[in-house]
Amino acid sequence: MVGRTFLVRHDDSTFTVDYDTDDGFEVFQFQLFSLTSIPPDEQKIVGEDNDRIVSDDSDLAAVSEKLQLVSITSEEARKPEKQEETTSSTAGAGNFDAGTSVMSDEELARMLQAEEEALLLQQYVAGDNRAQFEEKVRPYISKVLLYEDPVRQEAARKTVRLDNLEEKALVSLAKEGNFKPSKVEEDHVFLLQLLFWFKSSFSWVNAPPCDGCGNETTAQGMGDALPSEIQYGATRVELYRCNSCSRVTRFPRYSDPLKLVETRKGRCGEWANCFTLYCRAFGYESRLVLDFTDHVWTECYSEALGRWMHLDPCEAIYDRPLLYEKGWGKKLNYVIAIAKDGVYDVTKRYTRKWNELLSRRTITTESSVVSVLTSLTKECRRNCTSQVLSILEERDNIEREALERDLRSTDDAPISLPGRQSGDKQWRIARSEFGTESLSSSSCTVRICSDEHVTKIYNAFFSILHKFVEDSLTASKGVEVLKILRATVVDLKKLPYKKRRASLKPNSIVGTSLVHQLLPSFKELLNALSLKSELDSNGILSVCLAGDPVQTALALPVALHALDELISDLSKCDNFSKGSLSFPLLRLNRICSGAVLASGEELPFGSATAAFDGTRMSKWEEPNGAKGCWIMYKLSANMQELVAYELMSANDAPERDPMDWVVEGSNDGGLSWHVLDERRSEMFDKPFQRKTYNVKSTGFLSNLFRFRFLAVRDVKSTSRLQVGSIDLYAKQN
């Protein structure tokens, strides 16, 4: 129902907006976005009568009907370049930039009071164990210096398919519409791909399999290290007895990353140790981060973000420093970052409960912690020039300010963080680190959907199938032609992305002459893939790059999956003729290049735009969508009449498949909605199943489409909804 009608003033214009309580505050923000082009994450909505900032449904219910909308970006642009806020506290002062949401004055005052009381109490409970604190940190200094060894760095680089990670990094940017990234942008996403690659290539060891028969083993205690093991820092060796053949298997805990590059297995200590070497091998400023409550991870300096970024190789999670406190439920005390040029207390980056955490920092006093780390840092920098020292000291000051700022930030409040995923389940439960299943966001920003290549590929099959009909090819022979195209796409995908070239290989059913005869009909598809055909002097027909190799890398998976589906559909055609050239065999006039917003998304691998990227390799996942969620697609151009749509099930977990939903269109940017289609009790039989639906209510032009998913297949067994893909088809002019 419509709850209220608001008059929203923005600049010199006033808009009338109906607020539907069934939709919620996020949809209200999207309505404002469609009217003013201010994205939700940049909107500041204020009640004109009482200056109350509106941030949720309850605020909308409480304020008057007159609102003012301000763009945060524009508002900040009008402020002085440097706005300093000084807070008097034992924690020091910090600059609060416009991009960080900070707590209210009242909340800040309460926090500062609590910190002061915690520090006062700590004086009575903290020990005088300065030496003990130093002994825990000092050994890691020599460890991080190993990462600077050229031999170790080269050994790490040799294990990585550099072109493959570069391709994945550039494709991830291209999916966001960035085909010409800067070096800084490219370096940032390459680091993330390195993290994901490491997670898939390194093995977690709970109990090693038997060296003899490969069966499960049971821990038997510790053994003495052999000289060959001590050589690579394995002063501890765990022993395991096979449950089948009784053979004893040794598990040396190597600390030398050179050996870990070879073994590629271990627990969090080995993972973080080895991954930090990889980061240094590819030129990233890196730190090994020691958590005194028994965990280790990595920090790298991101030029793109202008700050240090948290990376956990065991979990493949990045830039989520509250993972341990908020997700795992860890009771942190000391978090120390060790680099070649210094040792840093970064605990404040990983907590929003500093005053509570202070009560657990009992090894020594805070002044002793500062003194020890300052002394160790001076040792690390003793050979630095005065110019380098000046740069490092400036960076240290910036980081100290950032840590104070982050401590008071509320930006990460909507993020739901997971419990520990690595390690045996019972082991995680015993450590009280199990938590929830995965990383998710309860809200997401408006995202541009760069999917024009998907539409071009779908359209390109018209020329090919039309040529089949024109040349009186049977469906079975057409399938063989498509299989040749598919084999070529597969061959291209296997090659380095900058050197793609593969031949169109005729077979016993489709000869060379027929391939040459059909070649003109392939042109549109090749263009959609940024490819071209070439005939060499030996008469061999090849396909090679014709433009930006990133465009090709982005489009090849779409073409492969589209060919798989077309081959399957054409195989079912009993009477292939001109009348067959219709939907859904041909999927023409697919809507593309819009903006996407959803009620929630799974990060980083289940974002909202994944529903529209045309591949089976990704999916949109709504972590709280089992009993209801939504996703919207806003057109970038003219109004369109939706006549059909397709949904594809995702790769796993059939209980998360959508079962009941409503499709709606709006011609006023979301102020009002018209029901276009409604489905109940739909069932997907298998993963990656594409189901086609003709819209029941036609004739309505829309500039915004919304899917309201009402229930999943088994709402009792999951809280999640997932969709492999969504394709929208407009009426052909």
Side-chain angles (χ1 to χ4, degrees):
M1 68 173 185
V2 174
R4 302 188 63 186
T5 298
F6 291 101
L7 297 176
V8 183
R9 183 165 62 87
H10 172 62
D11 292 338
D12 297 326
S13 302
T14 300
F15 305 95
T16 301
V17 183
D18 290 331
Y19 168 54
D20 189 331
T21 54
D22 290 337
D23 294 335
F25 182 65
E26 292 89 351
V27 175
F28 182 76
Q29 289 182 293
F30 198 85
Q31 291 173 326
L32 296 180
F33 167 61
S34 66
L35 294 169
T36 64
S37 298
I38 299 175
D41 58 333
E42 295 182 14
Q43 293 176 7
K44 179 180 178 182
I45 306 169
V46 182
E48 286 196 341
D49 291 349
N50 57 8
D51 289 334
R52 177 173 180 169
I53 295 178
V54 179
S55 60
D56 57 27
D57 294 339
S58 61
D59 290 336
L60 280 177
V63 297
S64 70
E65 69 277 3
K66 292 183 179 180
L67 304 176
Q68 182 179 5
L69 174 65
V70 180
S71 168
I72 292 174
T73 304
S74 301
E75 186 181 56
E76 294 301 328
R78 291 192 291 269
K79 293 182 180 180
E81 285 187 7
K82 291 187 178 180
Q83 179 180 0
E84 294 186 353
E85 290 188 29
T86 304
T87 58
S88 176
S89 74
T90 54
N95 294 328
F96 294 78
D97 65 21
T100 302
S101 301
V102 296
M103 56 189 63
S104 67
D105 291 343
E106 183 179 348
E107 291 172 319
L108 179 59
R110 285 199 301 268
M111 171 182 272
L112 295 177
Q113 178 65 30
E115 288 179 16
E116 189 171 338
E117 292 172 356
L119 279 169
L120 184 63
L121 177 63
Q122 192 198 42
Q123 295 178 13
Y124 298 99
V125 298
D128 189 19
N129 298 312
R130 174 189 172 117
Q132 179 188 345
F133 179 82
E134 183 174 344
E135 286 170 6
K136 289 183 72 71
V137 177
R138 180 175 286 280
Y140 288 88
I141 295 176
S142 57
K143 178 176 289 190
V144 299
L145 292 178
L146 294 177
Y147 307 148
E148 306 307 307
D149 175 31
V151 173
R152 288 175 171 83
Q153 290 188 4
E154 181 61 20
R157 284 192 294 268
K158 283 182 178 179
T159 65
V160 178
R161 274 194 58 188
L162 183 60
D163 62 294
N164 185 258
L165 290 194
E166 283 181 352
E167 178 183 0
K168 289 181 176 179
L170 292 170
V171 166
S172 70
L173 288 167
K175 285 185 175 182
E176 299 174 0
N178 186 355
F179 287 92
K180 301 294 181 183
S182 65
K183 178 68 163 54
V184 167
E185 291 170 324
E186 189 174 338
D187 286 346
H188 179 75
V189 294
F190 181 89
L191 176 59
L192 303 186
Q193 292 302 326
L194 184 67
L195 174 70
F196 302 149
W197 167 82
F198 189 86
K199 170 67 173 177
S200 65
S201 64
F202 213 79
S203 298
W204 182 273
V205 176
N206 293 308
C210 175
D211 285 341
C213 64
N215 286 317
E216 293 182 357
T217 60
T218 301
Q220 299 294 302
M222 305 298 290
D224 295 329
L226 302 174
S228 60
E229 296 165 340
I230 295 174
Q231 178 185 354
Y232 294 102
T235 56
R236 294 182 300 134
V237 178
E238 299 172 4
L239 302 179
Y240 294 83
R241 186 174 299 279
C242 180
N243 297 337
S244 298
C245 70
S246 298
R247 176 171 174 168
V248 173
T249 295
R250 302 171 65 83
F251 178 41
R253 302 299 302 275
Y254 293 114
S255 63
D256 189 332
L258 180 63
K259 188 65 175 180
L260 297 175
V261 167
E262 174 192 329
T263 64
R264 312 184 73 75
K265 63 183 181 181
R267 302 194 192 109
C268 60
E270 289 92 346
W271 280 65
N273 187 6
C274 193
F275 179 68
T276 310
L277 169 64
Y278 275 96
C279 294
R280 289 297 299 132
F282 285 99
Y284 295 96
E285 288 294 322
S286 308
R287 298 165 166 175
L288 187 66
V289 181
L290 171 65
D291 158 28
F292 279 23
T293 62
D294 193 25
H295 192 44
V296 196
W297 60 86
T298 305
E299 285 184 351
C300 286
Y301 191 83
S302 168
E303 295 289 349
L305 299 177
R307 58 176 170 79
W308 289 94
M309 181 172 68
H310 150 259
L311 300 109
D312 191 316
C314 299
E315 310 295 290
I317 290 179
Y318 62 92
D319 206 23
R320 290 287 181 254
L322 297 187
L323 172 69
Y324 313 107
E325 180 178 86
K326 189 176 178 182
W328 295 17
K330 262 182 171 291
K331 303 297 184 183
L332 299 171
N333 48 32
Y334 300 93
V335 181
I336 308 299
I338 304 99
K340 63 182 176 62
D341 53 25
V343 186
Y344 312 86
D345 184 355
V346 294
T347 311
K348 289 182 179 179
R349 178 173 294 125
Y350 296 91
T351 184
R352 291 295 179 270
K353 302 177 181 179
W354 176 244
N355 56 309
E356 177 187 314
L357 185 148
L358 276 170
S359 67
R360 298 190 292 271
R361 288 166 68 100
T362 58
I363 297 176
T364 189
T365 62
E366 291 302 293
S367 59
S368 292
V369 170
V370 172
S371 176
V372 168
L373 298 186
T374 300
S375 176
L376 293 176
T377 297
K378 285 182 178 178
E379 287 183 29
C380 295
R381 298 178 180 179
R382 60 179 175 267
N383 295 322
C384 293
T385 65
S386 58
Q387 183 178 6
V388 171
L389 284 173
S390 177
I391 293 172
L392 291 173
E393 288 167 4
E394 181 181 2
R395 190 180 70 181
D396 292 348
N397 290 332
I398 292 172
E399 183 174 23
R400 276 192 290 269
E401 292 178 357
L403 290 174
E404 296 296 336
R405 183 171 63 246
D406 291 346
L407 194 62
R408 291 130 174 61
S409 169
T410 60
D411 280 352
D412 40 35
I415 302 297
S416 172
L417 295 163
R420 188 169 193 156
Q421 306 297 301
S422 54
D424 177 76
K425 180 178 179 179
Q426 295 306 316
W427 178 75
R428 288 179 280 153
I429 292 174
R431 292 166 62 98
S432 299
E433 297 173 350
F434 193 67
T436 56
E437 289 185 2
S438 55
L439 175 66
S440 63
S441 173
S442 59
S443 62
C444 63
T445 59
V446 175
R447 303 183 188 279
I448 301 302
C449 197
S450 182
D451 61 338
E452 185 181 5
H453 61 288
V454 182
T455 297
K456 287 182 176 179
I457 289 169
Y458 288 3
N459 290 343
F461 288 114
F462 174 80
S463 298
I464 296 173
L465 294 186
H466 187 272
K467 182 65 173 173
F468 289 176
V469 172
E470 187 179 88
D471 291 358
S472 301
L473 261 67
T474 62
S476 60
K477 183 160 283 191
V479 165
E480 292 301 320
V481 174
L482 295 177
K483 286 181 178 179
I484 290 174
L485 284 174
R486 185 190 185 281
T488 305
V489 169
V490 170
D491 289 344
L492 289 166
K493 280 181 89 293
K494 293 177 181 177
L495 297 170
Y497 77 104
K498 291 181 180 179
K499 301 177 181 180
R500 284 185 160 133
R501 174 183 286 270
S503 59
L504 284 163
K505 301 172 184 175
N507 57 33
S508 58
I509 301 174
V510 179
T512 302
S513 60
L514 181 56
V515 172
H516 283 259
Q517 178 184 326
L518 296 171
L519 184 59
S521 69
F522 301 162
K523 185 175 181 180
E524 187 177 351
L525 178 61
L526 295 179
N527 287 340
L529 300 174
S530 295
L531 298 170
K532 62 182 178 181
S533 61
E534 289 184 352
L535 187 65
D536 67 16
S537 57
N538 297 319
I540 297 175
L541 187 60
S542 297
V543 173
C544 60
L545 295 171
D548 184 355
V550 179
Q551 291 272 13
T552 303
L554 179 64
L556 281 176
V558 179
L560 179 61
H561 299 156
L563 280 164
D564 284 341
E565 292 173 359
L566 187 56
I567 289 169
S568 176
D569 292 343
L570 193 58
S571 298
K572 301 170 186 175
C573 284
D574 296 327
N575 298 303
F576 181 59
S577 63
K578 188 174 182 180
S580 305
L581 303 182
S582 60
F583 187 77
L585 184 66
L586 280 175
R587 290 138 63 191
L588 302 174
N589 221 28
R590 178 185 178 276
I591 295 171
C592 63
S593 303
V596 180
L597 181 68
S599 56
E601 60 184 355
E602 184 81 10
L603 299 173
F605 300 117
S607 66
T609 50
F612 302 94
D613 65 7
T615 81
R616 296 195 297 256
M617 298 185 298
S618 61
K619 61 185 175 183
W620 168 51
E621 188 165 351
E622 221 288 16
N624 303 302
K627 295 181 180 180
C629 61
W630 51 265
I631 188 168
M632 293 193 288
Y633 196 97
K634 185 179 184 291
L635 304 186
S636 58
N638 299 328
M639 301 268 188
Q640 296 275 14
E641 178 186 346
L642 186 71
V643 295
Y645 63 94
E646 293 180 313
L647 297 182
M648 179 188 286
S649 56
N651 61 317
D652 63 358
E655 67 274 10
R656 301 176 186 172
D657 290 342
M659 185 175 70
D660 302 336
W661 63 82
V662 178
V663 184
E664 299 166 309
S666 174
N667 57 13
D668 53 16
L671 295 177
S672 59
W673 295 94
H674 178 81
V675 175
L676 302 175
D677 197 54
E678 189 170 356
R679 303 285 169 165
R680 293 288 187 274
S681 301
E682 290 290 330
M683 301 291 283
F684 291 85
D685 301 324
K686 57 185 178 180
F688 306 128
Q689 182 182 6
R690 182 183 294 274
K691 300 192 77 170
T692 302
Y693 302 94
N694 291 310
V695 169
K696 295 176 180 178
S697 177
T698 57
F700 186 81
L701 295 176
S702 305
N703 63 358
L704 179 62
F705 299 103
R706 177 172 69 179
F707 282 77
R708 283 197 293 116
F709 293 102
L710 309 177
V712 296
R713 181 171 180 169
D714 187 356
V715 73
K716 294 181 180 180
S717 65
T718 183
S719 65
R720 299 172 173 273
L721 173 137
Q722 62 184 28
V723 176
S725 69
I726 301 174
D727 292 291
L728 308 172
Y729 299 96
K731 184 177 181 180
Q732 296 185 48
N733 299 323

